[in-house]
Amino acid sequence: MNFIIIIGLTTFILLCGVLFNVLRIKKKRKKRKNAKAFTIKSKTLRIGVIGAGQMGTVLSGLVERTGAKIVVVHDIKHEAAEKLANERKGAVATTELNKLFDTPMDGLLVCTIPTARIEPIKRACEKNIHLFIEKPPAYDLVGGRECLYAIKKSRIMAAVGFQLRYDPRYELLKQLIKGHDVHLVRTVCTVGFYLDFQISPWFLQKKVSGGPITDQAIHLLDCVRYVFDNSRPTLAAAIGIKNMAPDRTDFDAENALQLMYKLDNGVIGVHTNHCGHEKVHFDLELIGPHLRLKANMTEPTIRGIIKGNEINEVPPKVNKLGGLDKVDAWLKAIDTGNRGYIRSDYAEALNTQALVDAATKSQTTHRVEIAEKV
């Protein structure tokens, strides 16, 4: 495996820490310590964490490497809060929201389950605390709109954790397709949840996680929207099945799923998702009259054809933001007051949530659903 493939897989680990076991996460964190990182210049930012699971652990580690300080950790399980607080030396551990928000802080990492975000987001807005919200932006658009109202009213900076928007691979893809018609897009996501069960059980419970569309497909769906300059969804339909782990009746998330959708630029997309596959794949392919390109995360190049010419382009090692990832960009936006560093603010992320909601609804209605406007 060459260096470029390792970079792609590294980005994916940052994106989906829940897909890998604790040992691999520790290895990843060790590598990140040796990487050149963005450093806070104007002052030491004080950052809180709500949700002390794997993503809270990974993201708070990325915060610390910039020079910002984790000052408080909240979790409904005291032992989890205390464990992460001890790792982030000097942080307060608490299970009480009042104690969390009584702690002075500049920003808050929201890493809870999707169904437990509305109250902490609204309370952070009341105190003018900037927010980094791990995907999805909300459990559904109803809650998302409620949060968006509070965010707009407070004028805080609220970013959502869509790491693929910061990947130089997709910056390059945007450049390659300029001036060319694209009519179809195909994405594929495979993970091993139903094979190894190396994740928290709630990921496979739709009433909590929202299922594979909300938990997994959402990354690639958002990436497609980014590649097409944030085109908005108009229609969506999905069909899925759970035909693995029949003895696990506590799990109802589909292991196999197909999704079709349309964007307002006329592009039709199809997404394939399997969360019981032995290898991780994050694949993206574009098709047009004179173009066919594949930009797969596990491959070293973007390859295909444009007007009969073979394309085999190696993505740059760093993005146009100087290598900032989703956490760095949020912190730099806070540090400088420049919202332009954030490529997926909360309002924009809700457009991807609208696609997710329409697709999820279609699984119940068995119809093509209209994606609601944010």
Side-chain angles (χ1 to χ4, degrees):
M1 181 180 289
N2 63 30
F3 183 72
I4 301 299
I5 294 179
I6 294 174
I7 290 294
L9 290 175
T10 297
T11 303
F12 179 68
I13 291 171
L14 292 176
L15 164 68
C16 295
V18 297
L19 305 181
F20 298 88
N21 58 35
V22 174
L23 178 59
R24 295 186 68 180
I25 289 175
K26 287 182 178 179
K27 288 181 179 179
K28 175 60 196 164
R29 288 176 63 197
K30 183 177 180 181
K31 290 180 181 179
R32 296 292 290 187
K33 288 180 180 179
N34 295 326
K36 185 178 180 180
F38 155 70
T39 303
I40 298 295
K41 294 182 178 179
S42 63
K43 63 177 181 178
T44 298
L45 295 177
R46 302 160 299 177
I47 306 297
V49 184
I50 180 167
Q54 287 186 332
M55 288 313 298
T57 300
V58 171
L59 295 179
S60 61
L62 297 180
V63 165
E64 279 196 334
R65 74 186 175 95
T66 69
K69 182 175 178 57
I70 301 298
V71 294
V72 60
V73 177
H74 176 284
D75 196 278
I76 58 173
K77 297 178 180 178
H78 185 267
E79 60 272 22
E82 194 170 51
K83 180 177 182 297
L84 182 54
N86 288 336
E87 291 181 20
R88 309 290 171 245
K89 296 179 180 178
V92 174
T94 182
T95 60
E96 302 174 18
L97 279 178
N98 286 338
K99 189 172 182 179
L100 170 68
F101 288 107
D102 282 344
T103 305
M105 54 182 156
D106 303 293
L108 177 66
L109 300 173
V110 181
C111 306
T112 67
I113 59 176
T115 52
R117 295 185 178 171
I118 295 176
E119 183 178 0
I121 287 174
K122 290 172 70 175
R123 291 188 64 169
C125 290
E126 290 170 359
K127 287 184 169 287
N128 294 313
I129 297 169
H130 301 291
L131 291 165
F132 181 94
I133 301 159
E134 185 48 38
K135 63 80 190 166
Y139 182 75
D140 56 30
L141 272 180
V142 175
R145 291 190 182 106
E146 189 175 348
C147 292
L148 180 60
Y149 176 80
I151 288 167
K152 285 185 173 180
K153 184 178 179 180
S154 68
R155 301 180 63 83
I156 63 165
M157 296 187 190
V160 177
F162 287 125
Q163 175 66 24
L164 294 184
R165 287 177 174 253
Y166 299 86
D167 192 310
R169 178 182 308 270
Y170 300 111
E171 287 181 337
L172 176 58
L173 186 62
K174 284 167 68 78
Q175 293 177 5
L176 290 173
I177 66 174
K178 281 185 178 179
H180 301 286
D181 291 331
V182 179
H183 296 155
L184 300 170
V185 58
R186 179 189 69 90
T187 53
V188 179
C189 174
T190 62
V191 294
F193 289 1
Y194 269 108
L195 285 180
D196 53 35
F197 298 101
Q198 296 297 307
I199 37 84
S200 298
W202 66 265
F203 282 102
L204 300 179
Q205 297 168 347
K206 291 185 69 173
K207 65 181 180 181
V208 181
S209 70
I213 299 177
T214 304
D215 177 58
Q216 299 146 46
I218 192 170
H219 281 297
L220 281 165
L221 298 176
D222 184 76
C223 183
V224 168
R225 293 192 53 251
Y226 169 71
V227 168
F228 291 123
D229 297 323
N230 292 325
S231 293
R232 297 182 179 182
T234 58
L235 302 170
I239 185 170
I241 188 171
K242 182 206 173 215
N243 52 14
M244 295 181 71
D247 57 316
R248 295 301 300 267
T249 56
D250 53 327
F251 295 157
D252 61 351
E254 302 89 349
N255 57 273
L257 182 139
Q258 289 285 149
L259 162 63
M260 183 177 287
Y261 59 95
K262 185 178 180 181
L263 301 176
D264 64 2
N265 63 352
V267 170
I268 295 174
V270 62
H271 177 78
T272 298
N273 215 97
H274 198 292
C275 52
H277 186 69
E278 63 183 3
K279 290 187 177 181
V280 171
H281 288 278
F282 256 42
D283 299 346
L284 189 157
E285 180 180 12
L286 305 178
I287 301 173
H290 306 288
L291 172 151
R292 186 171 184 179
L293 293 175
K294 293 183 178 180
N296 300 337
M297 286 292 296
T298 53
E299 297 180 6
T301 64
I302 296 175
R303 56 189 174 85
I305 59 168
I306 298 178
K307 289 189 173 181
N309 297 317
E310 185 175 340
I311 302 298
N312 193 30
E313 294 281 341
V314 178
K317 293 180 180 179
V318 297
N319 60 28
K320 294 178 180 178
L321 295 175
L324 299 182
D325 62 24
K326 58 186 180 182
V327 174
D328 294 340
W330 173 63
L331 291 171
K332 189 160 187 177
I334 298 171
D335 195 40
T336 62
N338 184 353
R339 296 173 183 268
Y341 289 107
I342 299 173
R343 290 183 172 176
S344 185
D345 66 16
Y346 196 82
E348 183 50 57
L350 284 188
N351 287 307
T352 300
Q353 184 74 50
L355 173 52
V356 167
D357 277 24
T360 301
K361 183 178 179 181
S362 77
Q363 292 182 279
T364 301
T365 64
H366 308 294
R367 297 193 303 261
V368 176
E369 294 292 337
I370 296 174
E372 296 181 25
K373 293 184 178 180
V374 175

